[in-house]
Amino acid sequence: MSKKNRQIVLASRPQGWVQESNFRLVETDVPALKDGEVLVKNIYLSLDPYMRGRMNATKSYASSVEIGQVMVGGTVGKVEASKNPQFREGDAVLGYFGWQEYGISDGKGLQKLPESKDIPLSTYLGVLGMPGLTAWVGLIEICQPKPGETVVVSAASGAVGSVVGQLAKAHDCCVVGIAGGPQKCNYIVQELGFDQAVDHRAGNLQEDLEKATPNGIDIDFENVGGEVMDTILGRLNTFARIALCGMVSQYNETQPAQFRNFGAMIASRVKMQGFLVGDYQHLWPQAQEELTSLLQAGKLKYRESIAHGVENAPKAFIGMLKGENFGKQLVKLSEE
Amino acid sequence: MSKKNRQIVLASRPQGWVQESNFRLVETDVPALKDGEVLVKNIYLSLDPYMRGRMNATKSYASSVEIGQVMVGGTVGKVEASKNPQFREGDAVLGYFGWQEYGISDGKGLQKLPESKDIPLSTYLGVLGMPGLTAWVGLIEICQPKPGETVVVSAASGAVGSVVGQLAKAHDCCVVGIAGGPQKCNYIVQELGFDQAVDHRAGNLQEDLEKATPNGIDIDFENVGGEVMDTILGRLNTFARIALCGMVSQYNETQPAQFRNFGAMIASRVKMQGFLVGDYQHLWPQAQEELTSLLQAGKLKYRESIAHGVENAPKAFIGMLKGENFGKQLVKLSEE
């Protein structure tokens, strides 16, 4: 009897907020390996806000997931069988197999990972993976922080935001994180070493941000959009830079984005740059080197929220979009 | 008896749309010249959208005009008397004397102009002045156009927009101008050589822009903001650039800016840069050289809307904000 592969496929496109009913669990047979192919048993699946965009039919930077297709996503796993000379059974690999327990690859885009006791496999989906690289590219390459500047990052306890803040501290900036609720706010200051935290759920966003940024804001690493971003616009210093990484507050909105403070873009001569980490592959080695040494020096801390079983991925994904996760959202698909 | 100087001062700050009642005409005596000073009789006053911002008390890139102060603005004129060895009676000069018939300067910031039959004095307030330099900096320095790219410019028949389009043509781009009404649209295509015009008053902005930009938009030189800008956002190509020069549609608005297509900033990895021409003085000589040679080659055409008499400046200014002018808006203050 052949091995079974459980997968989450897109059942329907969401209208506004994603529902669990937009997904469906299916079970298929793992097909026999052909020459050159590798079978990977996935251990961790990464859940990330960009996946919301792939659920829409509308133009996005990457093609949509089609109805009935397996949801996309980064995974780490171990080679279970190989007919490809470059991979051996037991190799740890980083792939892009999506929301499923097994993946088959011809080896292209599959990256062998070093196995070290220092560095857990899951970090290749987190601080050393796409979120970490995204933080590095947006902060270091796009915003070019200078010592003493004030950096604000939204979704600050999240997978990207928490790296942005710790990187900015390593570059001698004053770092203010915006997060939802006292628990996340305490975490970014007390565990991650941010200078200040602003709780966007406390109801005094503008006043609290003013207090936290007495010298204004030089850099905004923007993950959220919406009212949080608008409030930041109103505090920008001359020649401020905005790395536009995500607008998670907008992804489920059907209303237009509204900005009271958009005029600051000209008045303060602001550069705003939308970016995708995939366009900066030439910088990944440099970024990974810096992130790895920060991690090994204990200066790059992280948390993970781990859901268990592929069947729980939809619920965990929706929770993440609502900010219910704490740190990098993963789904554990099998034991290491 | 001393000479009289008629001035327009700010009488009150506008709420929403500027009214003529926000200004007041006053008459003062021209004071006696001190050593080192120059008395200039102004010939032309430039009216520009940025002046609207100076009428507000709120933070802007330059200090507000105070109630009772003379409205600011660029002027060209002739030296009528001089106690400064660097200027002689009859010298043509570019100054920043504002909305008044006479100005006194200690010579700082006063620029002697070459007098040539080729180049009328008023061009130093237009294609060779701030508007021309603004067009050059925003297009060439910020957006870095490449041959074959599609450039869109709003307020296309205006002082800045008309230079942007002609410069972009000189750099072998495909140029689409957005203007209000068939007269301005004909002008930018037939007289200025734009490839396409879109009339934002015709009621089919989105459809018309789609037709005019079959290959999408690579560069947006943004003068207008609001719905026009939002529609442009929806047509941007990957790695598009936006030079944010003005948002004249917003200056009299009390509502927030709304964008349905803001997500394109990330999806298309757009760079948006607010700028002020004053930050780029190191590039002015290079810009002036290119603009002058285009002008002398007949490749930089312009129109002027000329109001007569300082007392008519408020009315002309309000008309310009509403798009009633055609080309560079000037006020003639005295005969040459």
Side-chain angles (χ1 to χ4, degrees), chain A residues 59-61 222 229-230 234-239 244-247 250-251 254-260 262-276 279-280, chain B residues 59-61 222 229-230 234-239 244-247 250-251 254-260 262-276 279-280:
Chain A
K59 178 191 170 190
S60 184
Y61 44 84
E222 187 56 55
M229 179 172 167
D230 194 19
R235 298 283 304 151
L236 293 179
N237 291 331
T238 306
F239 303 117
L244 211 51
C245 176
M247 288 186 285
Q250 298 286 317
Y251 294 167
T254 50
Q255 294 304 306
Q258 299 206 356
F259 298 105
R260 296 195 172 274
F262 203 74
M265 287 293 303
I266 300 179
S268 299
R269 293 87 119 185
V270 176
K271 184 184 87 162
M272 183 189 290
Q273 169 99 53
F275 76 102
L276 295 177
D279 296 327
Y280 296 85
Chain B
K59 179 191 170 191
S60 182
Y61 44 83
E222 188 55 56
M229 179 171 167
D230 194 18
R235 297 283 305 151
L236 293 179
N237 290 332
T238 306
F239 303 116
L244 211 52
C245 177
M247 291 186 284
Q250 297 286 319
Y251 294 166
T254 50
Q255 294 304 305
Q258 298 205 355
F259 298 105
R260 295 195 173 274
F262 203 73
M265 288 292 303
I266 299 179
S268 298
R269 294 87 119 184
V270 177
K271 185 184 87 164
M272 184 188 289
Q273 169 100 53
F275 76 101
L276 296 178
D279 296 327
Y280 296 84

Side-chain angles (χ1 to χ4, degrees), chain B residues 84-99:
Chain B
N84 181 319
Q86 299 192 293
F87 295 90
R88 289 194 308 184
E89 207 183 304
D91 280 350
V93 288
L94 176 68
Y96 198 74
F97 290 119
W99 300 23

Side-chain angles (χ1 to χ4, degrees), chain B residues 4-214:
Chain B
K4 296 292 180 191
N5 182 20
R6 295 193 305 156
Q7 309 172 311
I8 300 288
V9 301
L10 183 64
S12 58
R13 301 207 183 276
Q15 308 290 324
W17 269 100
V18 188
Q19 309 289 334
E20 288 192 54
S21 61
N22 296 128
F23 302 96
R24 191 171 62 236
L25 179 70
V26 300
E27 199 174 284
T28 58
D29 291 336
V30 173
L33 275 193
K34 294 179 204 144
D35 272 352
E37 286 185 340
V38 185
L39 174 66
V40 177
K41 187 173 188 183
N42 297 321
I43 299 170
Y44 288 104
L45 162 67
S46 174
L47 293 180
D48 302 276
Y50 75 84
M51 295 166 175
R52 177 62 186 82
R54 306 292 174 94
M55 297 177 77
N56 292 337
T58 49
K59 179 191 170 191
S60 182
Y61 44 83
S63 49
S64 301
V65 175
E66 299 300 328
I67 304 291
Q69 266 189 352
V70 177
M71 284 291 296
V72 292
T75 48
V76 289
K78 291 214 169 157
V79 173
E80 191 159 291
S82 177
K83 292 192 173 179
N84 181 319
Q86 299 192 293
F87 295 90
R88 289 194 308 184
E89 207 183 304
D91 280 350
V93 288
L94 176 68
Y96 198 74
F97 290 119
W99 300 23
Q100 59 182 341
E101 294 176 324
Y102 287 93
I104 287 178
S105 163
D106 61 4
K108 279 182 206 145
L110 199 63
Q111 187 190 331
K112 237 186 275 194
L113 296 174
E115 286 194 75
S116 120
K117 279 183 188 163
D118 280 10
I119 301 178
L121 277 185
S122 64
T123 59
Y124 292 102
L125 296 175
V127 290
L128 300 184
M130 274 258 282
L133 295 171
T134 300
W136 194 97
V137 166
L139 182 69
I140 305 299
E141 174 68 8
I142 296 193
C143 295
Q144 311 214 349
K146 291 189 275 287
E149 288 192 320
T150 297
V151 175
V152 169
V153 56
S154 48
S157 71
V160 174
S162 60
V163 178
V164 170
Q166 293 176 90
L167 253 181
K169 283 308 296 175
H171 286 253
D172 299 318
C173 293
C174 173
V175 179
V176 178
I178 301 177
Q183 196 193 7
K184 289 177 180 176
C185 286
N186 285 339
Y187 168 69
I188 61 176
V189 172
Q190 279 158 27
E191 284 194 53
L192 303 187
F194 285 40
D195 296 289
Q196 300 272 345
V198 170
D199 180 357
H200 67 82
R201 292 189 179 150
N204 307 301
L205 180 59
Q206 177 149 355
E207 205 180 315
D208 292 346
L209 189 65
E210 275 170 26
K211 277 187 207 151
T213 59

